[in-house]
């Protein structure tokens, strides 16, 4: 257990603990679902409900990110991951959207896991700050997602 000089505990924040609890609930829910088609339909419904419940600017960005990801790579399966919309290929998360409100950040994030094929030499970006999703940003998201699943 880490502590600061003042004795206060340096552990997970309340938001991080909540995300871990959401992840555990997501895994239990996925295990209870029936057929593959039923699992996919319920997982997408969960993602759309999560997006619909976001604050205005996060919701608008998440809707546009969702549309761009699904258009760029229809093989990706939407699902929740730590309480946020994510997109998986063969069960492995490739990319995800994290709302600004989730961790009280000043921007939302479009992130890519190590399963995304974004490699460029010995260093490349795996996360992108989003303050607005414009047509230009959608084009960049499309290109990144297409590369990620290539």
């Amino acid at each position: 257990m880490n502590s600061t000089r003042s004795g206060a505990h340096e552990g997970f924040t309340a938001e991080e603990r909540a995300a871990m609890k959401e992840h555990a609930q997501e895994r239990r829910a996925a295990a209870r679902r029936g057929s593959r088609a039923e699992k996919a339909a319920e997982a997408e419904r969960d993602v759309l409900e999560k997006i619909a419940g976001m604050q205005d600017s996060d919701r608008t960005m998440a809707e546009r990110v969702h549309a761009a990801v699904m258009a760029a790579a229809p093989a990706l399966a939407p699902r929740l991951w730590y309480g946020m919309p994510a997109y998986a290929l063969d069960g492995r998360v490739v990319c995800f959207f994290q709302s600004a409100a989730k961790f009280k950040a000043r921007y939302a994030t479009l992130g890519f896991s190590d399963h995304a094929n974004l490699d460029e030499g010995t260093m490349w970006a795996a996360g992108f700050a989003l303050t607005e999703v414009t047509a230009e940003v959608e084009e960049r998201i499309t290109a990144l997602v297409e590369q990620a699943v290539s």
Side-chain angles (χ1 to χ4, degrees):
M1 183 169 14
N2 296 334
S3 62
T4 64
R5 287 182 185 211
S6 67
H9 176 68
E10 276 186 32
F12 295 109
T13 65
E15 293 82 9
E16 290 167 332
R17 285 191 302 277
M20 289 185 282
K21 286 179 183 178
E22 284 181 287
H23 184 61
Q25 291 170 341
E26 293 157 11
R27 292 181 60 92
R28 284 192 296 274
R32 287 191 301 266
R33 292 180 176 151
S35 70
R36 177 183 266 179
E38 181 183 303
K39 286 180 183 183
E42 287 187 35
E44 183 165 16
R45 189 169 36 251
D46 291 345
V47 166
L48 295 174
E49 285 176 7
K50 180 61 77 171
I51 291 171
M54 290 179 184
Q55 294 177 359
D56 292 341
S57 63
D58 282 338
R59 183 179 60 251
T60 301
M61 286 189 288
E63 288 169 347
R64 292 186 77 174
V65 167
H66 178 77
V69 169
M70 296 309 297
L76 291 177
R79 60 178 265 201
L80 291 178
W81 192 53
Y82 294 95
M84 287 288 104
Y87 304 88
L89 184 63
D90 299 326
R92 295 180 170 186
V93 170
V94 173
C95 62
F96 59 91
F97 176 84
Q98 181 177 296
S99 71
K102 179 77 173 178
F103 294 104
K104 300 177 183 163
R106 66 183 180 92
Y107 53 81
T109 304
L110 173 64
F112 291 87
S113 75
D114 60 331
H115 300 292
N117 296 319
L118 297 178
D119 306 35
E120 291 180 10
T122 58
M123 186 174 119
W124 57 89
F128 298 85
L130 297 171
T131 58
E132 183 180 8
V133 178
T134 63
E136 181 181 321
V137 170
E138 282 181 345
E139 287 178 22
R140 184 137 185 238
I141 291 169
T142 297
L144 286 166
V145 170
E146 288 173 346
Q147 180 180 348
V149 298
S150 66

